Amino acid sequence: MGGDTTYRFARAAGLAVFCLMSAAGARAAGSGPDPAVVDFRVSDVRADGSGRLDFEIACRVQNLGDAAFASTRRGQGIALYEIRHGESEGHRLRYRRFSDLDAGEELKLHKWIKDWAVDEAFPSSFECKLVYDVEKRSDQDSRNDDADLTNNRGIVRGIDILKRLKEQGPAAD
């Protein structure tokens, strides 16, 4: 992900929030459409007392470019994955197709995670990623080209979720 990365963790009324945010870099005029992952967070973390967590993961995508992204509905989407330690392929948790995305327009995708193990030595991580059909770059239509492919994913590492949970201490009931 391009730009500076900032981790934030807060606790209010027994709820924990952990997020990964990316500050978008300045774009050159005339750069075209640029769908980008601009926010990816874990929130509403709840421990059930049995060594497992429930929480929500949420991803926000925004067209940071100076032109609308225009395509068919079947050519691209936003995907949420769980990446388990030692596995090369992420497990897709959710997928949302999209077509047009005006400059500045946002899309959101979220998923509740239930019974996630707290005490794993190598906890799984979560990824939000823009996914494009391979034909998008070769179809000679600049309206469906992404001007910056470096800002198309966000990751929240499982080890960071556990670390923040430890720093939080016992949850208030």
Side-chain angles (χ1 to χ4, degrees), residues 40-172:
F40 187 40
R41 69 180 61 216
V42 172
S43 62
D44 294 332
V45 179
R46 298 174 187 159
D48 68 4
S50 69
R52 298 212 168 284
L53 293 179
D54 294 342
F55 53 86
E56 182 180 32
I57 57 173
C59 179
R60 186 167 53 95
V61 169
Q62 182 178 11
N63 182 352
L64 299 177
D66 60 4
F69 181 88
S71 183
T72 64
R73 186 157 176 83
R74 299 191 79 62
Q76 59 284 317
I78 308 166
L80 293 176
Y81 293 94
E82 180 176 7
I83 305 167
R84 296 181 183 142
H85 180 74
E87 295 184 7
S88 60
E89 293 287 322
H91 297 270
R92 191 164 77 181
L93 303 172
R94 192 112 199 244
Y95 187 78
R96 176 181 177 182
R97 295 180 194 275
F98 69 94
S99 53
D100 300 337
L101 193 61
D102 290 334
E105 186 178 2
E106 296 182 355
L107 297 172
K108 296 177 183 176
L109 184 63
H110 65 92
K111 169 91 172 132
W112 277 97
I113 305 298
K114 302 286 186 183
D115 295 325
W116 188 71
V118 173
D119 59 349
E120 291 183 24
F122 300 101
S124 55
S125 296
F126 297 90
E127 177 182 36
C128 175
K129 173 165 79 169
L130 286 165
V131 179
Y132 294 101
D133 285 348
V134 71
E135 296 87 24
K136 290 296 166 202
R137 287 303 237 191
S138 62
D139 68 1
Q140 304 302 314
D141 185 355
S142 62
R143 297 174 308 141
N144 66 18
D145 289 344
D146 187 336
D148 183 359
L149 298 175
T150 65
N151 58 13
N152 289 350
R153 77 191 271 252
I155 294 178
V156 174
R157 295 177 341 138
I159 197 75
D160 291 332
I161 297 169
L162 296 180
K163 182 173 136 185
R164 301 297 183 185
L165 187 65
K166 275 188 179 178
E167 289 172 2
Q168 172 187 338

